[in-house]
Amino acid sequence: DAKTTQPNSMESNEEEPVHLPCNHSTISGTDYIHWYRQLPSQGPEYVIHGLTSNVNNRMASLAIAEDRKSSTLILHRATLRDAAVYYCILPPYGAGNMLTFGGGTRLMVKP
Amino acid sequence: EPEVTQTPSHQVTQMGQEVILRCVPISNHLYFYWYRQILGQKVEFLVSFYNNEISEKSEIFDDQFSVERPDGSNFTLKIRSTKLEDSAMYFCASSASGTRAYEQYFGPGTRLTVT
Protein backbone atom coordinates (compact mmCIF):
# COMPACT_ATOMS: atom_id res chain seq x y z
CA ASP A 1 0.00 0.00 0.00
CA ALA A 2 1.14 3.55 -0.69
CA LYS A 3 2.10 5.29 2.55
CA THR A 4 0.68 8.69 3.47
CA THR A 5 2.18 11.33 5.74
CA GLN A 6 0.09 14.03 7.40
CA PRO A 7 0.84 16.56 10.14
CA ASN A 8 -0.46 15.42 13.52
CA SER A 9 -2.40 18.61 14.13
CA MET A 10 -3.29 21.99 12.65
CA GLU A 11 -5.09 25.02 13.93
CA SER A 12 -7.31 27.45 12.08
CA ASN A 13 -9.47 30.44 12.79
CA GLU A 14 -13.17 30.25 12.11
CA GLU A 15 -14.24 31.46 8.67
CA GLU A 16 -10.71 31.29 7.29
CA PRO A 17 -9.53 28.81 4.64
CA VAL A 18 -7.69 25.70 5.77
CA HIS A 19 -5.19 23.74 3.71
CA LEU A 20 -4.58 20.20 4.99
CA PRO A 21 -1.55 18.59 3.33
CA CYS A 22 -0.84 14.94 2.61
CA ASN A 23 2.33 13.42 1.18
CA HIS A 24 2.12 10.15 -0.72
CA SER A 25 5.39 9.89 -2.60
CA THR A 26 5.01 6.14 -3.32
CA ILE A 27 1.62 6.53 -4.98
CA SER A 28 1.04 4.35 -8.03
CA GLY A 29 -0.64 5.43 -11.22
CA THR A 30 -3.98 3.84 -10.39
CA ASP A 31 -4.25 4.91 -6.74
CA TYR A 32 -7.15 7.20 -5.97
CA ILE A 33 -6.64 9.72 -3.17
CA HIS A 34 -9.47 9.69 -0.64
CA TRP A 35 -10.15 12.01 2.25
CA TYR A 36 -12.32 11.15 5.21
CA ARG A 37 -12.90 12.97 8.46
CA GLN A 38 -14.09 11.92 11.90
CA LEU A 39 -15.91 14.42 14.04
CA PRO A 40 -15.75 13.87 17.81
CA SER A 41 -17.75 10.83 18.95
CA GLN A 42 -18.92 10.05 15.41
CA GLY A 43 -18.09 7.57 12.68
CA PRO A 44 -15.79 8.48 9.80
CA GLU A 45 -17.34 10.59 7.07
CA TYR A 46 -16.40 10.55 3.38
CA VAL A 47 -15.22 13.97 2.22
CA ILE A 48 -13.83 13.78 -1.30
CA HIS A 49 -11.63 11.76 -3.65
CA GLY A 50 -9.66 12.26 -6.83
CA LEU A 51 -7.17 10.69 -9.20
CA THR A 52 -5.34 13.39 -11.14
CA SER A 53 -7.46 16.49 -11.57
CA ASN A 54 -8.49 18.87 -8.84
CA VAL A 55 -11.96 18.11 -7.49
CA ASN A 56 -14.63 20.19 -5.82
CA ASN A 57 -17.75 19.23 -3.93
CA ARG A 58 -20.04 20.88 -1.42
CA MET A 59 -17.77 19.98 1.48
CA ALA A 60 -14.28 20.73 0.21
CA SER A 61 -11.82 20.95 -2.65
CA LEU A 62 -8.99 18.55 -3.38
CA ALA A 63 -5.87 19.87 -5.03
CA ILE A 64 -3.56 17.17 -6.42
CA ALA A 65 0.03 17.94 -7.32
CA GLU A 66 1.03 17.41 -10.92
CA ASP A 67 3.35 14.50 -9.98
CA ARG A 68 0.62 13.14 -7.64
CA LYS A 69 3.08 12.77 -4.79
CA SER A 70 1.11 15.13 -2.61
CA SER A 71 -2.38 16.50 -2.25
CA THR A 72 -4.13 19.19 -0.25
CA LEU A 73 -7.63 19.19 1.15
CA ILE A 74 -9.02 22.70 1.17
CA LEU A 75 -11.84 23.85 3.41
CA HIS A 76 -12.77 27.23 2.02
CA ARG A 77 -14.25 28.68 5.21
CA ALA A 78 -13.64 26.68 8.36
CA THR A 79 -16.47 26.47 10.84
CA LEU A 80 -16.42 25.14 14.39
CA ARG A 81 -18.20 22.07 13.05
CA ASP A 82 -15.17 21.29 10.87
CA ALA A 83 -13.07 20.49 13.94
CA ALA A 84 -12.25 16.83 13.35
CA VAL A 85 -9.51 14.37 12.48
CA TYR A 86 -8.89 14.37 8.72
CA TYR A 87 -7.54 11.25 7.05
CA CYS A 88 -5.81 11.00 3.69
CA ILE A 89 -6.17 7.42 2.43
CA LEU A 90 -4.91 5.60 -0.65
CA PRO A 91 -6.89 2.35 -0.65
CA PRO A 92 -5.31 -0.70 -2.29
CA TYR A 93 -7.28 -1.61 -5.38
CA GLY A 94 -9.22 -4.83 -5.11
CA ALA A 95 -8.58 -5.57 -1.42
CA GLY A 96 -12.28 -5.74 -0.56
CA ASN A 97 -12.45 -1.95 -0.65
CA MET A 98 -10.62 -1.89 2.66
CA LEU A 99 -9.85 1.55 4.07
CA THR A 100 -6.72 1.85 6.23
CA PHE A 101 -6.94 4.79 8.62
CA GLY A 102 -3.68 6.27 9.86
CA GLY A 103 -3.32 8.89 12.56
CA GLY A 104 -4.68 11.72 10.40
CA THR A 105 -4.51 15.45 11.12
CA ARG A 106 -6.45 16.81 14.06
CA LEU A 107 -7.88 20.15 12.97
CA MET A 108 -8.73 22.61 15.70
CA VAL A 109 -10.87 25.61 14.79
CA LYS A 110 -10.74 28.69 16.99
CA PRO A 111 -13.72 31.04 17.18
CA GLU B 1 -30.38 11.98 2.69
CA PRO B 2 -30.08 8.20 3.15
CA GLU B 3 -27.92 7.06 6.05
CA VAL B 4 -26.54 3.95 7.70
CA THR B 5 -28.17 3.12 11.01
CA GLN B 6 -26.86 0.91 13.80
CA THR B 7 -28.42 -0.67 16.87
CA PRO B 8 -27.94 -0.67 19.75
CA SER B 9 -26.00 2.53 20.35
CA HIS B 10 -24.44 1.00 23.46
CA GLN B 11 -24.14 -2.65 24.44
CA VAL B 12 -22.77 -3.88 27.73
CA THR B 13 -22.00 -7.57 28.02
CA GLN B 14 -20.10 -9.95 30.22
CA MET B 15 -16.94 -11.67 29.07
CA GLY B 16 -17.73 -14.92 27.28
CA GLN B 17 -21.20 -13.86 26.17
CA GLU B 18 -22.33 -13.64 22.55
CA VAL B 19 -23.31 -10.28 21.08
CA ILE B 20 -24.93 -9.32 17.83
CA LEU B 21 -24.48 -5.83 16.47
CA ARG B 22 -26.97 -4.73 13.87
CA CYS B 23 -26.76 -2.37 10.94
CA VAL B 24 -29.09 -1.21 8.20
CA PRO B 25 -26.95 -0.09 5.25
CA ILE B 26 -28.05 2.39 2.60
CA SER B 27 -30.66 0.59 0.53
CA ASN B 28 -29.08 0.54 -2.93
CA HIS B 29 -25.55 -0.16 -1.73
CA LEU B 30 -23.90 -3.47 -2.54
CA TYR B 31 -20.81 -3.54 -0.33
CA PHE B 32 -20.96 -3.73 3.44
CA TYR B 33 -18.23 -3.34 6.02
CA TRP B 34 -17.44 -3.49 9.70
CA TYR B 35 -14.71 -1.42 11.31
CA ARG B 36 -13.84 -0.94 14.95
CA GLN B 37 -12.11 1.73 17.00
CA ILE B 38 -10.71 1.03 20.43
CA LEU B 39 -10.86 4.15 22.61
CA GLY B 40 -8.09 6.56 21.65
CA GLN B 41 -6.81 4.40 18.82
CA LYS B 42 -7.15 4.27 15.03
CA VAL B 43 -10.15 3.03 13.10
CA GLU B 44 -9.43 -0.58 12.06
CA PHE B 45 -10.94 -2.56 9.20
CA LEU B 46 -12.56 -5.85 10.19
CA VAL B 47 -14.39 -7.25 7.19
CA SER B 48 -16.02 -6.47 3.87
CA PHE B 49 -19.01 -8.32 2.46
CA TYR B 50 -20.35 -8.49 -1.07
CA ASN B 51 -22.80 -10.74 -2.86
CA ASN B 52 -23.52 -12.67 0.35
CA GLU B 53 -19.96 -13.55 1.09
CA ILE B 54 -16.89 -12.13 2.77
CA SER B 55 -14.63 -10.45 0.22
CA GLU B 56 -11.86 -9.41 2.59
CA LYS B 57 -11.12 -9.73 6.29
CA SER B 58 -8.37 -8.53 8.59
CA GLU B 59 -6.32 -10.48 11.12
CA ILE B 60 -8.62 -9.16 13.84
CA PHE B 61 -11.59 -10.95 12.27
CA ASP B 62 -10.89 -14.41 13.68
CA ASP B 63 -13.19 -17.37 14.26
CA GLN B 64 -14.98 -15.54 17.06
CA PHE B 65 -16.43 -13.09 14.53
CA SER B 66 -19.03 -13.70 11.87
CA VAL B 67 -21.17 -11.55 9.61
CA GLU B 68 -24.51 -12.14 8.03
CA ARG B 69 -27.06 -10.44 5.85
CA PRO B 70 -30.15 -12.26 7.09
CA ASP B 71 -32.59 -10.36 4.91
CA GLY B 72 -32.58 -7.61 2.30
CA SER B 73 -31.95 -4.81 4.73
CA ASN B 74 -29.95 -5.88 7.80
CA PHE B 75 -26.25 -6.62 8.15
CA THR B 76 -25.01 -8.10 11.40
CA LEU B 77 -21.75 -8.69 13.20
CA LYS B 78 -21.70 -11.49 15.75
CA ILE B 79 -19.01 -12.00 18.35
CA ARG B 80 -19.40 -15.50 19.77
CA SER B 81 -17.51 -15.28 23.03
CA THR B 82 -16.58 -11.72 23.91
CA LYS B 83 -13.26 -10.80 25.50
CA LEU B 84 -12.33 -7.68 27.43
CA GLU B 85 -10.24 -6.54 24.47
CA ASP B 86 -13.32 -6.54 22.22
CA SER B 87 -14.48 -3.38 23.99
CA ALA B 88 -14.57 -0.74 21.26
CA MET B 89 -16.79 1.33 18.97
CA TYR B 90 -17.98 -0.78 16.09
CA PHE B 91 -18.85 1.03 12.88
CA CYS B 92 -20.84 -0.38 10.02
CA ALA B 93 -20.40 1.12 6.56
CA SER B 94 -21.75 0.58 3.07
CA SER B 95 -20.87 1.66 -0.43
CA ALA B 96 -21.99 1.41 -4.01
CA SER B 97 -20.02 -0.58 -6.55
CA GLY B 98 -17.46 0.28 -9.20
CA THR B 99 -15.55 3.51 -8.88
CA ARG B 100 -17.68 4.57 -5.90
CA ALA B 101 -16.77 1.54 -3.82
CA TYR B 102 -14.32 3.50 -1.70
CA GLU B 103 -16.91 6.20 -1.02
CA GLN B 104 -18.08 4.51 2.15
CA TYR B 105 -20.86 5.79 4.37
CA PHE B 106 -20.49 5.02 8.03
CA GLY B 107 -23.09 4.58 10.71
CA PRO B 108 -22.95 6.28 14.13
CA GLY B 109 -21.45 3.20 15.74
CA THR B 110 -22.24 0.80 18.57
CA ARG B 111 -20.18 1.16 21.71
CA LEU B 112 -19.46 -2.34 23.02
CA THR B 113 -18.34 -2.62 26.61
CA VAL B 114 -17.21 -6.04 27.80
CA THR B 115 -16.98 -6.44 31.57
Side-chain angles (χ1 to χ4, degrees):
Chain A
D1 301 1
K3 182 177 163 55
T4 61
T5 305
Q6 299 178 253
N8 289 334
S9 64
M10 289 184 66
E11 213 170 75
S12 170
N13 293 317
E14 198 177 7
E15 301 199 358
E16 288 186 357
V18 183
H19 290 230
L20 296 160
C22 181
N23 285 320
H24 30 78
S25 57
T26 60
I27 192 170
S28 74
T30 55
D31 285 339
Y32 279 80
I33 302 157
H34 283 71
W35 284 81
Y36 279 76
R37 71 179 184 181
Q38 187 173 22
L39 277 64
S41 302
Q42 294 191 29
E45 178 184 25
Y46 166 81
V47 177
I48 201 167
H49 77 276
L51 183 62
T52 55
S53 306
N54 295 343
V55 185
N56 299 296
N57 66 20
R58 62 177 178 82
M59 287 182 70
S61 296
L62 176 60
I64 301 172
E66 204 169 316
D67 63 5
R68 300 205 335 118
K69 292 186 177 181
S70 66
S71 60
T72 303
L73 181 71
I74 303 166
L75 308 179
H76 295 286
R77 286 182 68 219
T79 68
L80 296 178
R81 197 194 170 277
D82 291 322
V85 180
Y86 286 79
Y87 301 98
C88 169
I89 301 174
L90 274 58
Y93 180 76
N97 308 329
M98 174 177 67
L99 295 175
T100 301
F101 290 84
T105 297
R106 181 172 298 279
L107 175 66
M108 292 166 281
V109 181
K110 296 185 294 184
Chain B
E1 190 172 316
E3 58 182 20
V4 176
T5 59
Q6 291 186 242
T7 54
S9 57
H10 191 190
Q11 173 92 48
V12 181
T13 190
Q14 289 191 327
M15 198 166 50
Q17 296 295 305
E18 174 183 288
V19 294
I20 298 175
L21 310 183
R22 301 179 194 279
C23 168
V24 179
I26 293 173
S27 63
N28 62 346
H29 282 180
L30 300 176
Y31 289 89
F32 314 109
Y33 314 87
W34 285 100
Y35 292 79
R36 78 172 187 189
Q37 186 173 32
I38 295 170
L39 187 63
Q41 297 188 24
K42 298 175 186 177
V43 177
E44 300 174 290
F45 170 82
L46 292 178
V47 66
S48 59
F49 191 84
Y50 171 73
N51 201 24
N52 277 322
E53 59 183 31
I54 290 173
S55 50
E56 188 73 31
K57 60 183 180 178
S58 71
E59 290 178 357
I60 303 168
F61 194 89
D62 61 22
D63 292 344
Q64 293 299 311
F65 291 87
S66 61
V67 289
E68 194 178 33
R69 187 152 163 85
D71 53 41
S73 60
N74 290 285
F75 181 52
T76 62
L77 174 70
K78 183 194 292 187
I79 309 175
R80 286 190 186 80
S81 178
T82 50
K83 307 181 189 116
L84 294 176
E85 54 264 38
D86 293 328
S87 295
M89 281 291 286
Y90 287 80
F91 296 108
C92 173
S94 68
S95 68
S97 61
T99 57
R100 301 191 68 181
Y102 291 104
E103 191 177 321
Q104 296 178 16
Y105 291 85
F106 285 74
T110 293
R111 178 170 299 286
L112 176 65
T113 302
V114 182
T115 61

